[in-house]
Amino acid sequence: MGKEPNGNGLLRLRRVDIDTYRENVGYLHRECPVYRAEGFQALSKVEITTNGKTVLALLNVVDDEAIVAPDELGLSEQAFDQLGVEAGAPVRVAQAEPPASMDAVRRKIAGERLTEEDFHAITRDLVHNRYSKMEMAAFLVASGQTGLDRDEVLYYTRAMADSGRRLDWHEPLVADKHCIGGIPGNRTSMLVVPIVAAHGMLIPKTSSRAITSPAGTADTMEVLARVELSPERLHSIVRKERGCLAWGGTAHLAPVDDILIAVERPLGMDAVGQMVASILSKKLAAGATHLLVDIPVGPTAKVRHMRQALALRKLFEFVGDRIGILLEVIITDGRQPVGRGIGPVLEARDVMQVLGNHPDAPPDLRQKALRLAGRVLEFDPDIRGGHGFAIARDILDSGRALAKMNAIIAAQGGLEASPGPSELTHEVTAAQDGVVVGIDNLQMNRIARLAGAPMDKGAGVDLLRKLGDPVRKGEPIYRIHAEFEADFRFARGLAERDSGYSIGTTEQLPGTYVDF
Amino acid sequence: MGKEPNGNGLLRLRRVDIDTYRENVGYLHRECPVYRAEGFQALSKVEITTNGKTVLALLNVVDDEAIVAPDELGLSEQAFDQLGVEAGAPVRVAQAEPPASMDAVRRKIAGERLTEEDFHAITRDLVHNRYSKMEMAAFLVASGQTGLDRDEVLYYTRAMADSGRRLDWHEPLVADKHCIGGIPGNRTSMLVVPIVAAHGMLIPKTSSRAITSPAGTADTMEVLARVELSPERLHSIVRKERGCLAWGGTAHLAPVDDILIAVERPLGMDAVGQMVASILSKKLAAGATHLLVDIPVGPTAKVRHMRQALALRKLFEFVGDRIGILLEVIITDGRQPVGRGIGPVLEARDVMQVLGNHPDAPPDLRQKALRLAGRVLEFDPDIRGGHGFAIARDILDSGRALAKMNAIIAAQGGLEASPGPSELTHEVTAAQDGVVVGIDNLQMNRIARLAGAPMDKGAGVDLLRKLGDPVRKGEPIYRIHAEFEADFRFARGLAERDSGYSIGTTEQLPGTYVDF
């Protein structure tokens, strides 16, 4: 054992109080005999073993004994916790082999088709933190660029669902709905869940936080109640209320998705195959039996043309059928934001106005939510096809949906005082007379995010005019809310350069992509 | 400035004695008011500014005031050096925008063709460390998978050459040679340079170290002399001796390549467009006017079929013509390793035997080097086409090449005592009677690397039989040399599982791909 000059090659484990999030880091002193003997380089991937347990980490080389001594191996906080042994324990360090499934990734780069076993190997290695971020990027770009065919999307969906926990609700009908995203203010889940649950159908909805948008359902619900619930609490709420509106992050469902997001987000990757596999694997792991998928179509939506929406629908249907989820796709109007508010507090206000049958409630949010809820209700074999909408409307108009929402809020630990909209406000005005003929979803998202949403719950944008509304030059078209002066300035500056609104004549109004 | 609760938002700069190699890391304490106010996350990319200077770094969050205090910003060693100011200087930290050229990368991912300006933007951002490793991986995979067309390779070559320093030798003919790699023992540069320089032609050769092979020319030359030379020293050696054999890493020529290697190597990426642009941009930056490119072809070489070699030749010619390098491509026999030794000391021995006209000198190495040197010499307008080989042979046979090599070694600081081959040896023997009909380049590389090459200079493999040689069962076919017991065991184990040699009958000998 010529390369272990300190006898047994063991080092003492030390916790280094540095938070490196999803990237494990190991720290070796430059004078550490193992470091010198093994010829590691900084940024080598190393495998740290103790007592049969192993973690992988990126190596940083330390020149300061206050951080690690030459006979120690330091681990960043998350890596130390993963190893789960006491500081001072003897550990062994070796050069890590690249994950075996990178062979499959290389085949994908070369344009080959992968097998179901390949996808299982990739997701296993991902979940065990064997992929560096650049390896994840290679996988995502390779499978995004030449694409995954529909069988590959199916294999990948199954592999992702198998990579984490699976919930079983022990009921024959567990409903869920999902929107592919991209439309500001589209908070229909917070209406569909209370309507469907009030009918008695099980709808244990978990949602994400905003990734690149100014608010996710979890961010908006958090204005009203707690959304980070333990699996036990979540179960008991769902048993009692038939529904919930919780954050999905704690459930460890199809965790591959949560791992890849750390690369997808900064790269701005949003490939179709990846999206379908991510969505359906989460739903499968969450125990859904029936799923309604909302695909908004519009010139600034994720899906811009009807033919793309149809192709995406077929892909959802193909995979859904094969993993045993009864899945329906609904194509909706994505030409402009839904409702008025963009940002958690403003969106929560819209939702509560619809539930309360308030005269100011935004009619498009109400209409869309009823349409979706109606379709979900029709999953119930006792509801005649086409009758769902009317039942949903009855539940909403009668106040039963509001009562259910209040019960869910109470069960999830309702907040004593909800925050109001942020108090720095600025009204953006119309540059000319005419009719609103375009609202750019992407630009409205950008302005709301610059204003501080979703971090500052009360920040965002409140739309005062929607498509088809007449405006006069100088009249306000939307209002920016911000919590902090710097954000306020940035958001105003962006809105001045490009308001996101187009004003024209009635003839210029884009046709609806969807008939409803 | 509501988000700067400590008044001016400034932190004190601190050097954190951690070596993070090519990935800048910034350290903020969790209680740092700027960290809390800005809502950074661990692994956010941040921009650190002081006095008009800026570095980008990945953020790590620290829970130990011994590493950084709440009013400090720590930088890892390389990042601190890049910023180039004193510890204690006031610095400002902000969320970094993703590099603007990532838009071009996203277009490449979508399969689009990029413009010359796109490639300049990408290389600029790469050189300024604005790309994270995952962003680099996205660029490499995207441009490797659907490929770059030949105009894109040209744009990329020019952009890479412009990204660093350019050398100008102020002479009309500056010769260079380059092999695309993959063949063990292929140390022809150490013969071509002294032959060509002895003739009086300028050949300032810079080489790389081994990346995935058991020895690069720089590793092998380092057995005899120093290869890390300052630009000034390199210039004065070349002026005096007309040639050199130096490591290229210190010259800051087309540095994009050195940056991308940190991702290409672990991903095992080796795309054609990337390779051609890397090679030619280095040569252009190094001031070469005439270049001979060696493309070995064989079943275990990088290029496996003649048609691939021809396509690659055309690509080299297309780009070479347009960047003003007079370029010739020579296709050579890549069916087996060149010479006998694999590993720095063993390869240096082969080279010195050829230079010394030693009876044991490997004839294939001599023959190939003469052929390449002859072609380089024919760049000289005074040498008649077809006469180069004979002139090269005269220079070698007369001892003038050896004298020139000794002069170059002395000028580069020749070592007093060169190391010998490592002393742990094991002979691998033939499993049957017959003729050697195959030697797997890749497997011989693996065995030599496991034995310790290139880190342990004397480690590697010494081939005792080559293609076409008769062997009897039990006769040694090659010898493994290792410095350390563990490496020795691993290398022997691998050779036992697969020796890399195929023994058969004369009829099974693969045809030469090349006629020489």
Side-chain angles (χ1 to χ4, degrees):
Chain A
M1 304 304 282
K3 288 216 166 183
E4 292 170 359
N6 62 339
N8 56 13
L10 293 176
L11 298 169
R12 285 185 303 115
L13 179 64
R14 173 162 173 176
R15 184 180 201 269
V16 175
D17 291 335
I18 298 181
D19 169 5
T20 57
Y21 189 48
R22 290 203 182 278
E23 190 125 275
N24 289 341
V25 176
Y27 301 89
L28 283 184
H29 196 279
R30 198 179 297 280
E31 300 302 323
C32 167
V34 175
Y35 168 72
R36 295 167 62 92
E38 293 285 337
F40 295 142
Q41 289 187 309
L43 295 192
S44 295
K45 219 193 309 185
V46 293
E47 190 174 77
I48 295 122
T49 315
T50 183
N51 219 349
K53 290 182 156 187
T54 289
V55 293
L56 293 163
L58 219 62
L59 185 63
N60 283 359
V61 181
V62 175
D63 293 295
D64 178 355
E65 297 202 13
I67 300 171
V68 284
D71 64 340
E72 293 178 320
L73 167 91
L75 278 182
S76 61
E77 297 170 351
Q78 293 86 344
F80 183 91
D81 295 344
Q82 279 171 35
L83 201 53
V85 300
E86 298 283 304
V91 294
R92 194 175 288 279
V93 187
Q95 191 95 36
E97 289 297 309
S101 63
M102 272 301 291
D103 273 352
V105 173
R106 273 187 281 272
R107 276 185 277 121
K108 190 76 216 152
I109 292 173
E112 288 181 38
R113 198 164 169 280
L114 301 186
T115 66
E116 179 142 18
E117 184 37 50
D118 287 330
F119 284 103
H120 271 98
I122 290 169
T123 53
R124 258 196 313 270
D125 281 341
L126 279 165
V127 167
H128 288 103
N129 291 309
R130 295 206 188 98
Y131 271 51
S132 64
K133 286 170 90 183
M134 69 180 155
E135 286 163 340
M136 288 183 216
F139 170 59
L140 285 169
V141 173
S143 51
Q145 197 178 24
T146 53
L148 303 176
D149 70 24
R150 61 188 202 172
D151 286 314
E152 288 179 289
V153 175
L154 171 63
Y155 302 154
Y156 187 31
T157 303
R158 284 202 195 115
M160 284 175 108
D162 287 347
S163 71
R165 234 203 288 187
R166 297 279 277 260
L167 302 182
D168 186 347
W169 297 95
H170 303 286
E171 295 207 12
L173 199 167
V174 181
D176 207 335
K177 72 159 280 283
H178 192 90
C179 177
I180 65 159
I183 308 297
N186 190 20
R187 289 287 78 76
T188 53
S189 290
M190 290 173 68
L191 295 161
V192 172
V193 167
I195 293 170
V196 170
H199 174 77
M201 190 182 281
L202 198 72
I203 184 162
K205 180 92 186 81
T206 57
S207 306
S208 58
R209 293 187 184 281
I211 296 166
T212 55
S213 73
T217 295
D219 301 300
T220 302
M221 186 65 187
E222 208 171 26
V223 172
L224 308 170
R226 294 184 47 214
V227 295
E228 300 195 11
L229 306 170
S230 70
E232 298 68 35
R233 178 106 184 262
L234 193 125
H235 261 84
S236 83
I237 293 169
V238 171
R239 289 272 162 248
K240 180 155 175 282
E241 302 298 344
R242 307 295 291 161
C244 67
L245 283 154
W247 178 55
T250 44
H252 199 70
L253 304 172
V256 166
D257 200 40
D258 307 322
I259 291 166
L260 290 176
I261 202 79
V263 173
E264 285 173 294
R265 179 175 29 174
L267 290 183
M269 296 282 306
D270 202 3
V272 162
Q274 191 71 39
M275 177 178 77
V276 170
S278 295
I279 292 171
L280 293 184
S281 62
K282 287 261 187 220
K283 301 304 177 188
L284 184 59
T289 62
H290 294 65
L291 173 65
L292 182 70
V293 176
D294 170 14
I295 303 181
V297 182
T300 56
K302 278 192 186 175
V303 174
R304 305 197 169 189
H305 301 286
M306 206 57 189
R307 62 172 192 279
Q308 283 176 281
L310 291 176
L312 186 55
R313 193 193 86 191
K314 312 253 170 185
L315 182 57
F316 269 115
E317 289 168 348
F318 177 86
V319 178
D321 283 355
R322 276 153 194 81
I323 60 175
I325 290 183
L326 201 157
L327 181 150
E328 293 212 27
V329 171
I330 188 165
I331 293 172
T332 58
D333 182 0
R335 290 175 302 161
Q336 62 174 339
V338 174
R340 295 202 184 92
I342 303 172
V345 164
L346 296 167
E347 294 180 26
R349 177 208 60 197
D350 284 359
V351 164
M352 295 312 289
Q353 284 181 344
V354 172
L355 286 169
N357 297 307
H358 192 283
D360 292 343
D364 60 338
L365 176 61
R366 172 187 157 96
Q367 183 69 10
K368 180 168 180 181
L370 286 176
R371 191 162 163 247
L372 297 179
R375 289 292 287 270
V376 173
L377 288 174
E378 288 178 20
F379 286 140
D380 179 348
D382 292 342
I383 293 187
R384 193 177 170 83
H387 286 201
F389 185 91
I391 296 173
R393 194 180 51 205
D394 285 350
I395 294 173
L396 182 63
D397 288 348
S398 67
R400 285 163 59 211
L402 176 61
K404 176 54 75 178
M405 183 63 159
N406 285 332
I408 290 172
I409 289 172
Q412 291 188 195
L415 303 185
E416 311 233 324
S418 293
S422 299
E423 290 184 359
L424 293 171
T425 62
H426 169 73
E427 286 183 349
V428 175
T429 56
Q432 59 180 95
D433 289 357
V435 168
V436 178
V437 295
I439 305 180
D440 184 332
N441 290 312
L442 300 168
Q443 185 69 0
M444 300 324 293
N445 272 341
R446 278 187 217 109
I447 295 169
R449 281 183 71 90
L450 266 191
M455 292 282 290
D456 305 325
K457 294 277 185 201
V461 171
D462 211 10
L463 306 183
L464 308 173
R465 292 285 184 278
K466 301 285 295 273
L467 279 190
D469 286 350
V471 286
R472 295 202 153 274
K473 182 175 176 182
E475 264 184 1
I477 48 179
Y478 59 85
R479 189 180 297 124
I480 296 172
H481 290 261
E483 198 69 28
F484 294 106
E485 191 60 49
D487 298 335
F488 189 49
R489 217 171 43 234
F490 286 139
R492 284 175 63 170
L494 181 59
E496 266 158 38
R497 290 197 300 282
D498 174 3
S499 73
Y501 268 60
S502 309
I503 314 256
T505 61
T506 315
E507 294 71 49
Q508 292 170 294
L509 261 175
T512 44
Y513 287 74
V514 193
D515 166 51
F516 82 105
Chain B
M1 304 303 282
K3 287 215 165 181
E4 291 172 356
N6 62 338
N8 57 14
L10 293 175
L11 298 170
R12 285 185 303 117
L13 179 64
R14 174 163 174 174
R15 184 180 201 269
V16 175
D17 291 336
I18 298 181
D19 169 3
T20 57
Y21 189 47
R22 290 203 180 278
E23 189 124 277
N24 290 340
V25 177
Y27 301 89
L28 283 184
H29 197 280
R30 198 178 299 279
E31 300 301 324
C32 168
V34 175
Y35 168 71
R36 294 168 63 93
E38 292 287 336
F40 296 142
Q41 287 187 310
L43 295 193
S44 293
K45 218 193 308 183
V46 292
E47 189 174 78
I48 296 122
T49 315
T50 182
N51 219 348
K53 291 181 155 188
T54 289
V55 294
L56 293 164
L58 219 61
L59 184 64
N60 283 0
V61 180
V62 176
D63 293 296
D64 178 355
E65 298 203 11
I67 300 171
V68 285
D71 63 342
E72 292 178 321
L73 166 91
L75 278 182
S76 62
E77 297 171 352
Q78 293 86 344
F80 183 90
D81 296 345
Q82 279 171 37
L83 201 53
V85 299
E86 299 283 305
V91 293
R92 193 176 289 278
V93 188
Q95 191 94 36
E97 288 297 307
S101 63
M102 273 301 292
D103 274 351
V105 172
R106 268 180 228 114
R107 275 185 278 123
K108 189 78 215 153
I109 293 172
E112 289 181 37
R113 197 164 170 281
L114 300 187
T115 66
E116 180 142 18
E117 184 36 51
D118 287 331
F119 284 103
H120 271 98
I122 291 169
T123 54
R124 259 195 313 269
D125 282 341
L126 279 166
V127 168
H128 289 103
N129 292 308
R130 295 206 189 99
Y131 272 51
S132 64
K133 287 171 90 182
M134 69 179 154
E135 286 162 340
M136 289 184 217
F139 170 60
L140 285 168
V141 172
S143 52
Q145 196 176 24
T146 52
L148 302 177
D149 70 23
R150 61 188 200 171
D151 287 314
E152 289 180 289
V153 175
L154 171 63
Y155 302 152
Y156 187 31
T157 304
R158 284 201 196 119
M160 283 174 107
D162 288 345
S163 71
R165 239 206 284 189
R166 295 280 277 261
L167 301 183
D168 186 346
W169 297 95
H170 302 288
E171 295 207 13
L173 201 169
V174 182
D176 208 337
K177 71 159 281 282
H178 192 91
C179 177
I180 65 158
I183 308 297
N186 191 21
R187 287 288 78 77
T188 53
S189 290
M190 291 173 69
L191 296 161
V192 172
V193 167
I195 293 171
V196 169
H199 174 76
M201 190 181 281
L202 198 73
I203 183 161
K205 180 95 184 81
T206 56
S207 307
S208 59
R209 295 186 183 282
I211 296 165
T212 55
S213 73
T217 294
D219 302 299
T220 301
M221 185 66 188
E222 206 170 27
V223 172
L224 308 170
R226 293 182 49 213
V227 295
E228 301 197 8
L229 306 171
S230 70
E232 298 70 34
R233 179 109 182 259
L234 192 125
H235 261 85
S236 83
I237 293 169
V238 171
R239 289 270 161 247
K240 179 154 174 285
E241 302 298 343
R242 309 295 291 161
C244 67
L245 284 154
W247 177 55
T250 44
H252 199 71
L253 305 172
V256 166
D257 200 41
D258 307 322
I259 292 167
L260 290 176
I261 203 78
V263 173
E264 285 174 294
R265 180 175 29 175
L267 290 183
M269 295 283 305
D270 201 3
V272 163
Q274 191 72 40
M275 177 178 76
V276 170
S278 296
I279 292 172
L280 293 185
S281 62
K282 286 260 188 223
K283 300 305 179 189
L284 184 59
T289 61
H290 292 67
L291 174 65
L292 182 69
V293 176
D294 170 14
I295 303 181
V297 182
T300 56
K302 276 192 188 175
V303 174
R304 306 200 167 186
H305 301 286
M306 205 57 187
R307 62 171 192 281
Q308 284 176 281
L310 291 175
L312 186 55
R313 195 194 85 192
K314 311 254 169 185
L315 182 57
F316 269 115
E317 289 167 348
F318 176 85
V319 179
D321 283 353
R322 277 155 193 79
I323 60 174
I325 291 183
L326 201 157
L327 181 150
E328 293 213 25
V329 171
I330 187 165
I331 293 172
T332 59
D333 181 359
R335 290 175 303 162
Q336 63 175 339
V338 174
R340 296 204 182 89
I342 304 172
V345 164
L346 296 166
E347 294 181 25
R349 178 207 61 198
D350 284 0
V351 164
M352 295 312 290
Q353 283 181 344
V354 172
L355 285 169
N357 297 306
H358 192 283
D360 291 345
D364 59 338
L365 176 62
R366 173 186 156 96
Q367 183 69 13
K368 179 167 181 181
L370 286 175
R371 192 164 162 246
L372 297 180
R375 288 293 289 269
V376 173
L377 288 175
E378 289 179 20
F379 286 141
D380 179 348
D382 293 340
I383 294 187
R384 192 176 169 84
H387 286 200
F389 185 91
I391 296 172
R393 193 180 53 206
D394 285 351
I395 294 173
L396 182 62
D397 287 349
S398 67
R400 286 163 59 210
L402 177 60
K404 176 54 75 180
M405 183 64 158
N406 284 332
I408 291 172
I409 290 172
Q412 291 189 196
L415 303 185
E416 311 230 326
S418 293
S422 299
E423 289 183 358
L424 294 170
T425 62
H426 169 72
E427 286 182 348
V428 175
T429 56
Q432 59 181 92
D433 290 357
V435 167
V436 178
V437 295
I439 305 180
D440 183 333
N441 290 312
L442 300 168
Q443 184 70 358
M444 300 324 292
N445 271 342
R446 276 185 217 111
I447 294 168
R449 280 184 71 91
L450 266 191
M455 292 284 289
D456 305 326
K457 295 276 186 201
V461 171
D462 210 11
L463 306 183
L464 308 173
R465 292 287 185 277
K466 301 285 296 270
L467 279 191
D469 287 350
V471 287
R472 293 201 155 275
K473 182 174 175 180
E475 265 183 2
I477 49 177
Y478 59 86
R479 191 180 296 123
I480 297 172
H481 290 261
E483 198 69 28
F484 295 106
E485 190 62 49
D487 297 335
F488 190 49
R489 214 169 48 234
F490 286 139
R492 283 175 64 169
L494 181 58
E496 266 157 37
R497 291 198 298 281
D498 174 3
S499 74
Y501 268 60
S502 309
I503 315 260
T505 61
T506 315
E507 294 72 50
Q508 292 171 294
L509 259 175
T512 45
Y513 286 75
V514 193
D515 166 48
F516 82 107

